[in-house]
Amino acid sequence: MKAIWNGAIGFGLVNIPVKIYSATETSKLDLDMLDRSDFSNIKFKRVNENTGKEVKWENIVKGYLMDDKYVVLDDEDYAAASPEKTKILSIDQFVKEDEVDSVYFETPYYLEPQKNGENAYRLLLKALEETGMAGIGTFVLRDAEAIGLIRPYHEDILILNRLRFDQEIRDYADLKIPAKKAPKPTELKMAVSLIKQLSQDFDPQMYKDTYSDELMKIIRQKAKGKNIKARKAEPAKEGKVIDLMAQLKASLQHSKSKSAS
């Protein structure tokens, strides 16, 4: 793995030199865009919408539309707005991890201690484990300010979760959310029973991204000249009155039969 950030965690007056590595990778296939007629690669050009002519990179600027006029920005404007470049992720506060709603979680990164930082790294790891807390602070990643949450992961490594800023979370006031009406006690009792019946420890290995594997099988079959027929998806059932009790009873019976088999 290649480190994407070198710096240090600021933990009180202690600096812990660390490297940041991406903790995830995509499982999607890398597909090229082609011209159907001869399978030539598609190239994208930057074209002036008025003249239709291609524009060179050195002649392209960025601007913000305000009052029907563009305010053009230059390198000095970006520099003035950029956060102060620092290689310190200073922990500003410690919080219970479950206090941070999952809507704020964005990207996970592994933290690796650098030379002479191993003891302080292990100290922070064990202190977070013992207190059940997570550290939150800001840092600069790729010229942009970011929020990070540091927590123990699998008991032997620290992980950094990049968090979204609060202003990035959309308001849901415009959504058609059901009115606050209490469900029928019998329906709620059966729903709770179904949840308990299906409850188990989370095992992430139960869930696999099979789409890319299936797509690769199809690619190999097509390479051999075989025709592929897509499976038809079942249409969604709409407009019918739902009998919740009947569905809950059927769900409980189905769950019991699966457990017995």
Side-chain angles (χ1 to χ4, degrees):
M1 287 191 286
K2 184 179 180 181
I4 62 171
W5 190 88
N6 283 282
I9 299 171
F11 172 40
L13 297 178
V14 179
N15 273 10
I16 309 171
V18 294
K19 292 181 180 180
I20 291 179
Y21 297 84
S22 179
T24 59
E25 59 186 5
T26 182
S27 60
K28 294 180 180 178
L29 294 179
D30 186 14
L31 302 176
D32 294 329
M33 295 183 66
L34 309 173
D35 187 327
R36 183 188 292 273
S37 63
D38 61 358
F39 302 143
S40 296
N41 272 282
I42 302 297
K43 302 294 183 184
F44 290 94
K45 294 183 177 181
R46 296 162 294 278
V47 177
N48 184 310
E49 67 174 349
N50 293 325
T51 65
K53 294 181 179 180
E54 188 174 357
V55 182
K56 294 181 180 180
W57 262 118
E58 58 265 27
N59 293 329
I60 294 177
V61 296
K62 290 185 178 181
Y64 184 84
L65 186 61
M66 179 179 287
D67 299 328
D68 296 326
K69 290 183 179 180
Y70 277 107
V71 178
V72 176
L73 300 170
D74 55 31
D75 291 341
E76 290 186 1
D77 298 320
Y78 294 120
S82 293
E84 182 182 352
K85 291 188 178 181
T86 175
K87 286 294 185 179
I88 301 293
L89 193 167
S90 182
I91 297 177
D92 301 317
Q93 58 177 322
F94 291 94
V95 301
K96 290 289 185 183
E97 189 183 340
D98 57 10
E99 292 178 0
V100 184
D101 195 286
S102 61
V103 73
Y104 289 97
F105 282 78
E106 192 174 79
T107 312
Y109 300 97
Y110 293 135
L111 293 174
E112 176 191 69
Q114 297 196 58
K115 189 176 181 180
N116 301 321
E118 297 88 349
N119 290 339
Y121 180 98
R122 179 62 57 179
L123 174 65
L124 177 59
L125 173 63
K126 290 302 178 184
L128 291 176
E129 285 179 348
E130 190 166 317
T131 58
M133 305 292 274
I136 293 183
T138 58
F139 65 111
V140 177
L141 181 64
R142 299 191 180 101
D143 295 324
E145 189 172 17
I147 316 173
L149 179 144
I150 298 174
R151 61 184 177 87
Y153 181 66
H154 284 280
E155 297 184 354
D156 53 7
I157 188 174
L158 288 171
I159 197 167
L160 168 71
N161 278 95
R162 184 170 179 170
L163 302 180
R164 296 180 176 91
F165 287 96
D166 188 62
Q167 63 261 42
E168 295 179 276
I169 309 302
R170 288 181 170 178
D171 191 351
Y172 56 83
D174 292 336
L175 300 181
K176 296 178 181 178
I177 306 298
K180 292 182 180 179
K181 181 181 177 182
K184 296 177 182 178
T186 51
E187 293 175 350
L188 179 59
K189 185 178 180 180
M190 291 194 74
V192 170
S193 297
L194 180 59
I195 289 172
K196 289 181 178 178
Q197 198 166 293
L198 295 173
S199 295
Q200 56 183 284
D201 292 335
F202 174 58
D203 180 7
Q205 295 186 355
M206 283 179 58
Y207 303 94
K208 303 290 184 183
D209 181 6
T210 60
Y211 179 77
S212 292
D213 292 338
E214 292 299 318
L215 195 57
M216 197 67 228
K217 288 180 185 177
I218 291 171
I219 289 171
R220 292 193 180 103
Q221 290 174 341
K222 293 196 75 171
K224 295 177 181 178
K226 295 181 181 180
N227 292 324
I228 309 299
K229 289 185 178 180
R231 291 170 292 191
K232 291 185 178 179
E234 293 184 9
K237 297 176 181 179
E238 297 179 354
K240 292 185 178 181
V241 177
I242 299 173
D243 186 340
L244 278 176
M245 280 299 293
Q247 288 191 344
L248 286 167
K249 287 179 182 178
S251 297
L252 281 166
Q253 289 299 323
H254 180 68
S255 177
K256 286 178 182 177
S257 61
K258 283 184 71 177
S259 300
S261 60

